[in-house]
């Protein structure tokens, strides 16, 4: 199993541009999570999906952020327009809901907005 | 609204046991204790979880006090590769609202 796959690994973009982060969860996992990590705020849960349906997006910082999960094997996190304060490492994780076991995290996308 | 309290940092000598404490005095009866770690620049990695009995796997042991208000993660023979930030989290078994605190930065020294 290749694990949770995120792309790109690094993204540098200019303020005001649209940014799309991608995630492929582990096959068979039906829960997917997006986290953001910064030095100031640590790891923050942004949104999570169960069976492709968004369950809790209360962690999404602003309307500039949106997330979709069109099918069980793919999710995107979009920032439009991007701002320098969005610079962070964004992690995607997946799990089998109701198993109670741990989440498997991807390697993250390091986003820099200049 | 932190549910857990951990020391910000700890050191451990290579080859010795690393004992990482966590206080969770307000834990509910249906909440489990989970431990994750994050090695520099990588995504967090699941280590172990438990409800009230002590648990052991290939990575670590988890000791939960009888009143469940605190726990200790034990790495029996720490190596340099165990240097990481260790997070203690309490959550209901299949509740997907898992939130991380600041964790403990463990440094294993030669």
């Amino acid at each position: 199993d290749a694990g949770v796959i995120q792309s790109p690994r690094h993204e540098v973009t200019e303020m005001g541009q649209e940014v799309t982060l991608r995630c492929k969860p582990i096959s068979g996992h039906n829960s997917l999570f997006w986290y953001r990590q910064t030095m100031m705020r640590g790891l923050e849960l942004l949104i999570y999906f169960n069976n492709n349906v968004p369950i809790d997006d209360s962690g999404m910082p602003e309307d500039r952020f949106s997330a979709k999960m069109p099918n069980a094997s793919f999710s995107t996190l979009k920032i439009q327009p991007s701002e320098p304060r969005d610079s962070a490492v964004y992690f995607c994780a997946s799990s089998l809901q109701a198993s109670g076991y741990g989440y498997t995290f991807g390697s993250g996308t390091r986003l820099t907005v200049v | 609204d932190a549910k857990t309290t951990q020391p910000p940092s700890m050191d451990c000598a290579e080859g010795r046991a690393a004992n990482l404490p966590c206080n969770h005095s307000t834990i509910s009866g249906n909440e489990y204790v989970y431990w994750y770690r994050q090695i520099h620049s990588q995504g967090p990695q699941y280590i172990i979880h438990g409800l009230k009995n002590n648990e052991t796997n290939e990575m670590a042991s988890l000791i939960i006090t009888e009143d469940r208000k605190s726990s200790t993660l034990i790495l029996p023979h720490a190596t340099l590769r165990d240097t990481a930030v260790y997070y203690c989290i309490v959550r209901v078994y299949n509740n997907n609202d898992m939130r991380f605190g600041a964790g403990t930065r463990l440094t294993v020294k030669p």
Side-chain angles (χ1 to χ4, degrees):
Chain A
D1 193 336
V4 175
I5 300 173
Q6 292 187 246
S7 64
R9 288 298 309 274
H10 302 275
E11 176 81 30
V12 180
T13 189
E14 291 185 348
M15 182 174 61
Q17 296 297 307
E18 177 180 298
V19 175
T20 299
L21 312 181
R22 297 172 174 79
C23 176
K24 176 179 170 56
I26 289 175
S27 177
H29 283 186
N30 60 352
S31 293
L32 183 138
F33 312 83
W34 283 100
Y35 284 83
R36 176 174 70 174
Q37 186 170 35
T38 61
M39 288 293 293
M40 290 294 294
R41 301 175 67 88
L43 267 164
E44 302 174 276
L45 176 63
L46 300 178
I47 184 172
Y48 70 88
F49 297 80
N50 284 344
N51 298 313
N52 312 338
V53 176
I55 302 301
D56 185 350
D57 65 355
S58 60
M60 297 284 262
E62 307 172 26
D63 291 345
R64 298 184 296 106
F65 286 68
S66 63
K68 294 182 179 180
M69 192 164 186
N71 57 62
S73 60
F74 184 66
S75 176
T76 60
L77 178 68
K78 184 177 295 186
I79 308 172
Q80 166 63 18
S82 58
E83 297 182 3
R85 59 194 169 120
D86 301 330
S87 297
V89 181
Y90 291 81
F91 289 103
C92 175
S94 71
S95 75
L96 183 60
Q97 187 197 9
S99 73
Y101 280 87
Y103 298 178
T104 302
F105 282 78
S107 298
T109 294
R110 181 174 296 276
L111 173 65
T112 303
V113 183
V114 298
Chain B
D1 183 17
K3 287 189 171 183
T4 64
T5 303
Q6 299 177 253
S9 64
M10 293 181 63
D11 291 342
C12 177
E14 188 179 19
R16 303 297 293 270
N19 298 286
L20 293 97
C22 180
N23 286 322
H24 30 80
S25 59
T26 61
I27 192 170
S28 301
N30 62 346
E31 287 182 316
Y32 283 64
V33 180
Y34 286 78
W35 283 84
Y36 284 76
R37 74 179 182 183
Q38 186 173 25
I39 296 171
H40 181 62
S41 298
Q42 298 181 21
Q45 176 190 22
Y46 165 79
I47 301 173
I48 199 168
H49 74 280
L51 180 63
K52 55 183 179 180
N53 297 321
N54 298 338
E55 302 287 346
T56 295
N57 62 21
E58 65 279 4
M59 290 183 67
S61 295
L62 174 60
I63 309 297
I64 302 174
T65 58
E66 191 169 343
D67 64 7
R68 303 210 321 123
K69 292 185 177 182
S70 65
S71 61
T72 301
L73 179 75
I74 301 173
L75 309 178
H77 305 287
T79 71
L80 299 179
R81 288 175 294 184
D82 291 321
T83 292
V85 177
Y86 287 77
Y87 299 97
C88 170
I89 301 163
V90 296
R91 72 173 177 110
V92 177
Y93 186 68
N94 60 357
N95 183 329
N96 281 332
D97 189 3
M98 186 174 74
R99 299 177 189 266
F100 291 78
T104 295
R105 182 173 298 277
L106 174 69
T107 302
V108 180
K109 298 184 174 181

